[in-house]
Amino acid sequence: MENMLVTGGYGFIGSNFVRYLLDESDYEGRIINVDSLTYAGNPENLAGIEETYGDRYVFVKGDVCDGERMDRLFDEYQLDSVCHFAAESHVDRSIVGPGAFIQTNIVGTFNLLEASRSHQGQVELFHHISTDEVFGSLGKEGLFMETTPYQPNSPYSASKASSDHLVRAYHETYGLPVTISNCSNNYGPYQFPEKLIPLVIQNAREDKPLPIYGDGKNIRDWLYVRDHCTAVWTIMKNGKKGETYNVGGNHEMENIRIVEIICDLIDALPHMNAKPSRRSLITYVKDRLGHDRRYAIDSSKLKNDLGWVPEESFQTGIEKTLAWYLAHQEWIDRVRSGAYQEWIRDHYEA
Ligand code: NAD
Ligand code: DAU
């Protein structure tokens, strides 16, 4: 893996992954980050990387929906591996406007698979990043296994399920060397403040309502983002081609509990007024359409076969996350303002 294409490297998980590969892992090659810079892609997430790593990091502003462009990149940069993060990632947005999800998540993945197929021999690995949401919703008992049948319930999860099937099919049909990971909910630095944890941190600090969908008892399985990055790199290095690996934190929690924990942590900060408690900001709102009740992942295949071990507990992970958001108010202000989109236009669309 000397020339790795990372798609969506300016998003939440993609940027954490690029930093992890360059700053911490044993990867010695070059990263070509292709990102179209949607509202969720932010060059500031990798500030300093170009200066620090010189030729080992290249950014290309490009859209995975542009198949010819993707194909040309494989020649231009002699790409020999792909780690495909780029996606529309927010379930609520997929309910309001599914079209972009079909284009980026399905057609975009298809384009990258086709480009990889036309460079077969050159490409030694196509790693596809996916989600536990493809499996649908669990009852009170049980865990998602790699063998759990797919039953996606939102346009987002259906588009990710489609892309997973395409990746698998390119392995079976064309022998493309692929691996797939299906991960649970991530949290940590650089997550766009539309997702539950950064949204609640931000609203709680600003004394704004904390919206809880439905009865707040939906359950997600939370994983600190760096642990997802170590899992992806473990699979890329040692995973068996054609296989899928589940990745999860083993930290199931009801949404309401997450929100209470964040409220209590913020109340306890020395410079914050805790009376009344921020819990009083909790506001139950209309439920998300098709809201999956419970996700929980069994990662024992990844742990037993490849020796992956997550490092953070939920307590340590949420404390680090809160500390990061407290220290990066300007980042939050910019991603929430139009100024950031103007900056992108000035820098990349001149
Ligand atoms: P994100 O929304 O923060 O980032 C997505 C990135 O992809 C952005 O940089 C965006 O600009 C880029 N992008 C979007 N459309 C593009 C296009 N057409 N061409 C090129 N670039 C494009 O997403 P995230 O939360 O970092 O998720 C990354 C991946 O991980 C996704 O595939 C998602 O399905 C998967 N995933 C996310 C989670 C989670 O909890 N966030 C959990 C499991 C899996
Ligand atoms: O499970 C993996 C998935 O996790 C990823 O594939 C997705 O890309 C990622 O966005 C995430 O999806 P969720 O829908 O689970 O994440 P979100 O942060 O949007 O919501 C988490 C839970 O909190 C969910 O049950 C809905 C609820 N929620 C969310 C928001 C934004 C609220 O109650 N209020 C809110 O304001």
Side-chain angles (χ1 to χ4, degrees):
M1 293 186 259
E2 283 176 17
N3 292 302
M4 186 194 298
L5 173 67
V6 173
T7 68
Y10 279 141
F12 162 49
I13 307 173
S15 61
N16 276 282
F17 182 69
V18 170
R19 278 189 190 281
Y20 169 73
L21 271 196
L22 293 173
D23 288 344
E24 296 189 65
S25 82
D26 55 354
Y27 181 64
E28 292 180 345
R30 178 167 71 146
I31 292 173
I32 293 86
N33 171 17
V34 170
D35 197 303
S36 63
L37 298 177
T38 67
Y39 76 97
N42 182 356
E44 211 180 323
N45 295 359
L46 289 178
I49 288 288
E50 268 166 331
E51 293 77 358
T52 309
Y53 291 98
D55 293 349
R56 288 191 62 208
Y57 174 79
V58 179
F59 170 58
V60 177
K61 184 172 185 294
D63 190 330
V64 296
C65 298
D66 181 347
E68 285 176 18
R69 180 94 195 280
M70 291 305 112
D71 193 73
R72 281 201 308 277
L73 289 178
F74 280 71
D75 294 324
E76 217 173 307
Y77 294 100
Q78 284 301 298
L79 300 173
D80 55 22
S81 44
V82 178
C83 187
H84 177 35
F85 290 95
E88 288 291 339
S89 68
H90 193 40
V91 174
D92 291 331
R93 287 179 188 256
S94 84
I95 295 167
V96 179
F101 289 71
I102 305 303
Q103 288 308 316
T104 291
N105 299 1
I106 305 177
V107 178
T109 303
F110 164 72
N111 287 337
L112 292 165
L113 287 167
E114 276 293 277
S116 302
R117 180 164 82 94
S118 72
H119 293 83
Q120 208 144 347
Q122 176 180 320
V123 175
E124 64 189 64
L125 178 66
F126 186 111
H127 182 73
H128 179 61
I129 304 290
S130 192
T131 168
D132 60 356
E133 300 204 6
V134 298
F135 298 120
S137 189
L138 289 164
K140 282 194 167 50
E141 303 292 322
L143 300 171
F144 295 134
M145 313 285 292
E146 285 81 1
T147 49
T148 302
Y150 276 30
Q151 199 168 37
N153 291 318
S154 72
Y156 163 70
S157 53
S159 68
K160 293 296 292 185
S162 309
S163 64
D164 293 10
H165 289 321
L166 281 170
V167 174
R168 205 187 145 275
Y170 270 63
H171 175 73
E172 293 298 322
T173 306
Y174 305 115
L176 198 71
V178 310
T179 44
I180 300 175
S181 49
N182 293 88
C183 188
S184 64
N185 284 62
N186 285 213
Y187 66 102
Y190 301 107
Q191 186 166 33
F192 195 85
E194 64 187 351
K195 307 281 166 46
L196 181 70
I197 287 183
L199 177 83
V200 165
I201 290 176
Q202 198 50 28
N203 283 11
R205 288 175 68 197
E206 294 173 351
D207 286 327
K208 289 184 181 160
L210 310 178
I212 301 274
Y213 299 163
D215 64 4
K217 293 189 187 303
N218 299 64
I219 290 173
R220 299 290 181 265
D221 181 351
W222 295 92
L223 182 70
Y224 189 66
V225 63
R226 186 180 174 281
D227 284 327
H228 187 188
C229 296
T230 62
V232 169
W233 185 227
T234 301
I235 297 165
M236 289 185 78
K237 285 200 300 183
N238 302 319
K240 198 168 159 218
K241 303 296 185 295
E243 294 279 317
T244 286
Y245 295 88
N246 279 354
V247 188
N250 216 8
H251 288 299
E252 278 185 60
M253 221 173 296
E254 288 182 349
N255 294 335
I256 183 66
R257 187 65 200 123
I258 299 266
V259 176
E260 287 170 353
I261 290 171
I262 294 171
C263 287
D264 296 349
L265 284 172
I266 295 181
D267 283 348
L269 292 170
H271 53 287
M272 289 288 184
N273 182 358
K275 287 192 176 58
S277 158
R278 278 167 183 74
R279 289 188 185 207
S280 63
L281 298 169
I282 291 173
T283 308
Y284 287 90
V285 299
K286 196 166 163 286
D287 208 354
R288 175 185 275 174
L289 297 177
H291 197 177
D292 287 335
R293 193 63 174 169
R294 175 171 167 256
Y295 301 149
I297 274 262
D298 183 329
S299 316
S300 48
K301 177 176 170 184
L302 176 57
K303 288 175 176 157
N304 296 339
D305 292 3
L306 305 185
W308 174 75
V309 186
E311 281 183 12
E312 300 293 341
S313 67
F314 186 75
Q315 190 61 32
T316 58
I318 196 72
E319 284 172 5
K320 283 185 180 178
T321 304
L322 178 60
W324 188 88
Y325 279 92
L326 291 174
H328 290 82
Q329 182 59 45
E330 287 176 3
W331 179 89
I332 296 162
D333 292 342
R334 274 197 291 275
V335 299
R336 289 196 308 189
S337 78
Y340 157 62
Q341 290 300 337
E342 279 166 29
W343 184 87
I344 287 180
R345 276 195 294 277
D346 290 349
H347 283 74
Y348 295 109
E349 284 157 23

